[in-house]
Amino acid sequence: MKLYKEMLITIALCLSLFAAYRYFTATNDVIVESNTITDIYTYIKPDEYNKNLLVIFDIDNTIGKMPTDLGSDQWFYAKVEQLKLSGKTTQEAIDLTLPHLFEIQFNSWLIPIEKETVSVINTLQEKGVTVIALTARSLDLTQRTIEQLHRMGIYFTKTDPHECPLVHGHGHGKPGLYIDGIIFSGEHSKGEMIVSWFKQIKYRPKKIIFIDDKLKNLQSVEKALHNRDYPFIGIRYGHEDGNVDRFTLESTAAEEAAFFAKHSFKADSVAP
């Protein structure tokens, strides 16, 4: 009998701790791991579905991806690393790789990461939640990115703060841009950009949920908003981790050669 009571107490304690954990992660600052986009609902209380909740989505490997690895996030960074190994500086490698990326992006469409991705964004918007995107994509891809998102059925203009101006001068150095509910961070950290954006809009959230596949971006935003008096939930989205980890440039070499043979842009001009 005593053992039975002890078991009941242990079970009750475990359930209480689990409930406390779920309450904490749903109401306080935390960065969690998830591979499923619908997990975002776990961190939203029923009475939080309104404009005071700001949900921020990264784009590449979070909302959408290229149909193949060619032109993907992992492809771009691998190309940059390859050029750095040949003696280029990081900036030189980026500058040499970007024209390749632009050519591929302008001739390709994004596809949703999960079948529920688009419906999750639309559902949040329909319930009145303020939803925007925050991306490290180059400003040269601004209009193309909007076209790619529209092709998937995603319109961040539905609930973005319309009174926010188009801004070309966030931070220092190469500017960032806010357009159609999307913040393009340019050469700045995502944390720096979101703080700069908040200073210019007539909107103050009561809670932020930010979903991104890169931990450094979540940490950047959390750190930049350290003076806030509202909860921050960061979701490190790992749905594409396996594809990223398995990627090699050799796996896209033939496809890349065929692509640039078909298009006017010549890859050999910037090959390492």
Side-chain angles (χ1 to χ4, degrees), residues 21 25 30-34 43 212 215 218 233-237:
Y21 169 77
T25 56
V30 66
I31 293 178
V32 298
E33 291 277 336
S34 173
Y43 304 99
D212 196 300
L215 179 61
L218 297 166
I233 308 294
I235 301 178
R236 215 292 299 176
Y237 184 61

Side-chain angles (χ1 to χ4, degrees), residues 20 48-49 61 86 94 101 107 110 118-119 122 124 128-129 131 172-173 178 184 203 206 224 228 257 261-262 271:
E48 291 178 334
Y49 285 96
N61 283 348
S86 73
I94 291 173
L101 179 67
N107 287 278
L110 291 177
V118 176
S119 64
N122 288 334
L124 292 172
V129 174
V131 183
H172 304 286
Y178 174 81
F184 291 83
Y203 166 74
K206 291 186 178 178
R228 68 191 180 281
K262 180 179 178 181

Side-chain angles (χ1 to χ4, degrees), residues 113-130:
I113 298 295
E114 297 182 63
K115 63 180 181 180
E116 298 89 356
T117 300
V118 176
S119 64
V120 166
I121 293 173
N122 288 334
T123 297
L124 292 172
Q125 292 173 323
E126 288 165 5
K127 292 189 175 185
V129 174
T130 302

Side-chain angles (χ1 to χ4, degrees), residues 246-264:
R246 288 189 296 269
F247 176 76
T248 64
L249 285 174
E250 289 75 17
S251 66
T252 56
E255 183 184 4
E256 182 177 342
F259 176 89
F260 287 112
K262 180 179 178 181
H263 295 82
S264 57

Side-chain angles (χ1 to χ4, degrees), residues 15-244:
L15 290 173
S16 297
L17 288 172
F18 178 74
Y21 169 77
R22 291 300 293 270
Y23 178 80
F24 175 83
T25 56
T27 57
N28 296 276
D29 300 348
V30 66
I31 293 178
V32 298
E33 291 277 336
S34 173
N35 294 332
T36 307
I37 196 74
T38 53
D39 281 351
I40 194 170
Y41 296 132
T42 303
Y43 304 99
I44 306 175
K45 295 179 180 179
D47 62 351
E48 291 178 334
Y49 285 96
N50 54 63
K51 66 179 181 180
N52 295 316
L53 171 61
L54 173 63
V55 177
I56 308 171
F57 286 89
D58 170 46
I59 294 179
D60 290 290
N61 283 348
T62 300
I63 290 177
K65 62 181 180 179
M66 303 299 286
T68 69
D69 281 325
L70 184 63
S72 65
D73 240 22
Q74 52 270 27
W75 175 89
F76 175 79
Y77 289 114
K79 295 290 283 187
V80 169
E81 289 304 313
Q82 183 185 57
L83 284 164
K84 286 169 64 178
L85 289 174
S86 73
K88 304 296 184 184
T89 66
T90 299
Q91 191 57 55
E92 287 173 340
I94 291 173
D95 291 341
L96 288 170
T97 306
L98 281 176
H100 294 225
L101 179 67
F102 296 159
E103 186 74 8
I104 297 168
Q105 289 284 342
F106 277 102
N107 287 278
S108 306
W109 296 104
L110 291 177
I111 60 174
I113 298 295
E114 297 182 63
K115 63 180 181 180
E116 298 89 356
T117 300
V118 176
S119 64
V120 166
I121 293 173
N122 288 334
T123 297
L124 292 172
Q125 292 173 323
E126 288 165 5
K127 292 189 175 185
V129 174
T130 302
V131 183
I132 67 169
L134 174 57
T135 178
R137 283 188 161 209
S138 168
L139 270 65
D140 297 279
L141 289 174
T142 298
Q143 290 301 326
R144 183 56 180 170
T145 299
I146 293 170
E147 292 171 358
Q148 290 172 322
L149 291 170
H150 287 183
R151 176 74 173 254
M152 290 191 291
I154 298 172
Y155 297 81
F156 283 107
T157 50
K158 288 182 180 178
T159 56
D160 72 308
H162 296 288
E163 64 271 22
C164 177
L166 288 177
V167 180
H168 295 267
H170 288 291
H172 304 286
K174 187 174 181 179
L177 173 68
Y178 174 81
I179 182 172
D180 285 4
I182 307 167
I183 299 176
F184 291 83
S185 60
E187 294 182 350
H188 307 290
S189 71
K190 290 189 176 183
E192 180 183 5
M193 284 301 297
I194 200 70
V195 167
S196 181
W197 184 69
F198 275 140
K199 289 178 180 178
Q200 300 183 54
I201 63 175
K202 300 173 183 177
Y203 166 74
R204 177 182 174 80
K206 291 186 178 178
K207 181 176 180 178
I208 291 179
I209 298 176
F210 178 29
I211 180 166
D212 196 300
D213 65 301
K214 294 183 176 62
L215 179 61
K216 67 176 184 179
N217 292 331
L218 297 166
Q219 294 172 330
S220 169
V221 171
E222 181 185 33
K223 182 178 179 181
L225 296 174
H226 67 281
N227 288 325
R228 68 191 180 281
D229 56 2
Y230 48 82
F232 171 86
I233 308 294
I235 301 178
R236 215 292 299 176
Y237 184 61
H239 189 279
E240 291 300 297
D241 285 359
N243 291 332
V244 172

